[in-house]
Amino acid sequence: AKKAPMHKKSSIADAIIVYSLIHFSKLNQGNHYFFISSNTEDFYQRANGKKEIHQDLKPDFDANNIQAFTTLN
């Protein structure tokens, strides 16, 4: 099965964005990172009544101190 962010459509651009951040965070450990995208179709899933980062991306986000947000508000 395809994994996020390419699970619904083949979006190389989305994959490059998110995996570049994950790669950068691995090379620069000890910092906190923020991923902000309103693209809830590719990067997020609904859980417990709210949007959270997709389960395919969550392990990398958790391991590398990356927090996900849909807006800056």
Side-chain angles (χ1 to χ4, degrees):
K2 291 184 178 183
K3 294 189 175 204
M6 297 177 41
H7 60 294
K8 293 187 179 181
K9 65 182 192 288
S10 182
S11 178
I12 298 299
D14 288 343
I16 289 171
I17 291 166
V18 74
Y19 289 114
S20 292
L21 173 60
I22 292 168
H23 179 73
F24 183 84
S25 68
K26 286 180 180 180
L27 295 176
N28 297 279
Q29 294 182 352
N31 297 300
H32 294 277
Y33 298 96
F34 300 94
F35 177 77
I36 302 156
S37 176
S38 61
N39 182 347
T40 58
E41 291 298 314
D42 294 328
F43 296 116
Y44 297 88
Q45 65 184 18
R46 183 161 296 283
N48 301 321
K50 63 180 183 174
K51 292 280 185 175
E52 63 180 35
I53 199 67
H54 195 279
Q55 67 183 3
D56 293 340
L57 300 170
K58 189 166 176 31
D60 283 322
F61 274 50
D62 289 347
N64 294 291
N65 294 321
I66 303 171
Q67 292 179 275
F69 300 94
T70 56
T71 68
L72 290 173
N73 294 334

